């Protein structure tokens, strides 16, 4: 029988708590920073481009002092927002699943912040000098009308994106919580044995500086020997090799549900360095 179990970074699944609190603590200032970027970007950049597109070519002329200040404020706020968003990427935990949750949370903070910022800016957009025609009398095209309603379209699109990200993030949180519950249940009720690696393949993927392998492991159970294929991420010095041993924790009621950990007592581990290290030249 063959089964699969996704194994994260060493010690990650035991030590990483659910990322809700950290993501909330980072998410609030990140959302506010993106709101500031959305507000200043709308009034400092998009407003001027909108006027130039519709019927004013001198929107950034000699009297554009406030717009220039808003551009500078936008530059600072988007830098802060991007830095906080990058921090949120790691707020979900040091694992592939945790980074996925962090990325979704960061995207939600960005879209929600832009929605708030551009929504607040709606009353402050500069009205064009003439509606429906370019000066002196050229009529607007369909594109011009879309640009005219840009103050409403930008927050609307960002708001729809935020709603989509809320659903995606909620699904990710549920999936991660279920995986954490399964891992915790396996750690509490599982049976731990020593298994032997009978096949190993480097996946050409590195996670936080650690290589990921697909391993085929044979281990004893109460009903006889079983073989599983699992994913394993470990340090290079504990890289699995054919014939090395690993710690296998399996569910007695579902032996194909396993967790694979390096065996610290195995001296054969790390003997497969040439299979995944890049060439020196």
């Amino acid at each position: 029988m063959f089964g699969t179990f996704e194994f994260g970074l060493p010690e990650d699944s035991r030590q990483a708590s659910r990322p809700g609190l950290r993501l909330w603590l980072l998410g609030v200032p990140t959302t506010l920073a993106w709101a500031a970027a959305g507000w200043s970007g709308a009034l400092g950049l998009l407003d001027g481009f909108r006027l130039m597109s519709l019927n004013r070519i001198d929107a950034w002329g000699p009297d554009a002092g406030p717009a220039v200040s808003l551009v500078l404020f936008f530059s600072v706020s988007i830098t802060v927002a991007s830095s906080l968003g990058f921090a949120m990427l790691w707020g979900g935990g040091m694992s592939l699943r945790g980074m996925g949750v962090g990325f979704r949370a960061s995207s939600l903070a960005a879209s929600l912040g832009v929605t708030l910022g551009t929504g607040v800016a709606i009353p402050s957009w500069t009205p064009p000098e003439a509606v429906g025609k370019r000066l002196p009398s050229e009529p607007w095209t369909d594109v011009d009308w879309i640009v005219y309603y840009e103050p409403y379209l930008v927050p609307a699109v960002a708001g729809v994106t935020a709603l989509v990200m809320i659903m995606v993030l909620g699904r990710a949180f549920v999936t991660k919580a279920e995986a954490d519950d399964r891992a915790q249940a396996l750690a509490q009720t599982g049976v731990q044995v020593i298994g032997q690696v009978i096949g190993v393949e480097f996946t050409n993927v590195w996670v936080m500086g650690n290589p990921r392998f697909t391993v085929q492991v044979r281990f004893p159970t109460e009903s006889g020997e079983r073989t599983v294929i699992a994913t394993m991420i470990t340090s290079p010095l504990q890289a699995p090799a054919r014939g090395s041993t690993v710690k296998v924790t399996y569910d007695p009621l579902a032996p194909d549900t396993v967790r694979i950990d390096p065996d610290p007592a195995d001296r054969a581990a790390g003997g497969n360095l040439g299979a995944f290290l890049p060439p020196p030249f």
Side-chain angles (χ1 to χ4, degrees), residues 29-281:
T30 303
T31 301
L32 294 177
W34 277 112
W39 176 80
S40 58
L43 300 182
L45 293 174
L46 298 181
D47 187 35
F49 287 127
R50 173 173 172 265
L51 292 178
M52 287 187 287
S53 176
L54 295 179
N55 50 30
R56 282 184 56 185
I57 61 174
D58 60 342
W60 281 359
D63 59 342
V68 174
S69 299
L70 286 173
V71 171
L72 294 177
F73 183 76
F74 169 77
S75 302
V76 174
S77 59
I78 198 171
T79 300
V80 174
S82 300
S83 300
L84 290 172
F86 184 77
M88 289 188 69
L89 180 64
W90 308 104
M94 303 290 283
S95 67
L96 287 176
R97 186 180 294 111
M99 290 175 62
V101 172
F103 174 78
R104 293 173 177 88
S106 175
S107 300
L108 172 59
S111 56
L112 184 60
V114 171
T115 302
L116 295 174
T118 54
V120 171
I122 289 177
S124 301
W125 285 68
T126 306
E129 295 182 1
V131 177
K133 64 178 181 179
R134 297 178 183 275
L135 298 180
S137 60
E138 182 181 351
W140 279 359
T141 64
D142 292 339
V143 174
D144 291 327
W145 282 106
I146 293 175
V147 173
Y148 174 70
Y149 287 108
E150 186 178 0
Y152 305 96
L153 292 176
V154 173
V157 171
V160 171
T161 303
L163 290 177
V164 173
M165 293 309 304
I166 288 175
M167 293 186 290
V168 172
L169 184 62
R171 181 181 178 87
F173 268 116
V174 171
T175 301
K176 188 176 189 304
E178 292 176 347
D180 290 342
D181 291 340
R182 290 195 300 267
Q184 185 177 4
L186 185 62
Q188 293 176 352
T189 63
V191 177
Q192 188 175 98
V193 296
I194 297 298
Q196 185 178 26
V197 178
I198 59 177
V200 58
E201 180 182 356
F202 177 48
T203 61
N204 291 314
V205 174
W206 293 76
V207 181
M208 300 298 295
N210 297 302
R212 182 169 67 181
F213 301 92
T214 298
V215 293
Q216 186 175 0
V217 179
R218 183 170 57 228
F219 62 97
T221 68
E222 297 177 354
S223 59
E225 285 193 338
R226 302 188 72 89
T227 301
V228 297
I229 296 178
T231 301
M232 184 176 184
I233 302 173
T234 184
S235 66
L237 296 180
Q238 292 182 310
R242 186 184 299 269
S244 63
T245 59
V246 291
K247 293 192 298 182
V248 180
T249 305
Y250 71 93
D251 184 352
L253 301 179
D256 291 333
T257 302
V258 301
R259 172 187 170 90
I260 308 296
D261 292 287
D263 181 9
D266 178 33
R267 296 183 178 181
N272 196 27
L273 294 177
F276 60 90
L277 292 180
F281 301 102

